[in-house]
Amino acid sequence: ALLGEAGFRVVSTESVLLPYLNQRNADETFEFLLRFIGPIRTMFEKLPDERRAQVRAEAVAALDGVSRNGTAWIHHATREPKIL
């Protein structure tokens, strides 16, 4: 949903194993994603402050609600450039 809201179209998806992710709780995992995944950080920072809290809460709830085994998904996406 975040990618779609940011104007991206997902072309393909693949999974990679990141075992250290399953050693973190949901909030720590979200912070890790913000710190080390540039596109996620960029999209999150562009959100209005009041929307950030909602997105953070939804993401942490989603992460907390799934069994994590260290698998992460890489989404390859495209986006049309904005013409000014």
Side-chain angles (χ1 to χ4, degrees):
L2 276 176
L3 290 171
E5 285 181 27
F8 288 91
R9 182 178 62 83
V10 175
V11 176
S12 65
T13 301
E14 64 183 277
S15 66
V16 295
L17 189 59
L18 303 171
Y20 52 87
L21 284 182
N22 67 347
Q23 298 170 3
R24 300 173 180 267
N25 66 38
D27 194 57
E28 291 171 329
T29 299
F30 184 75
E31 287 301 319
F32 173 88
L33 295 172
L34 284 181
R35 183 172 179 195
F36 293 106
I37 311 298
I40 292 175
R41 181 180 57 246
T42 299
M43 287 186 291
F44 187 76
E45 289 173 350
K46 288 183 178 182
L47 293 171
D49 288 340
E50 62 275 5
R51 181 84 169 101
R52 286 185 197 175
Q54 179 186 1
V55 168
R56 176 186 295 276
E58 290 173 4
V60 169
L63 289 166
D64 199 34
V66 296
S67 173
R68 292 190 313 264
N69 61 2
T71 300
W73 296 93
I74 298 174
H75 302 288
H76 305 273
T78 61
R79 183 173 143 182
E80 293 293 322
K82 291 182 182 179
I83 299 174
L84 302 176

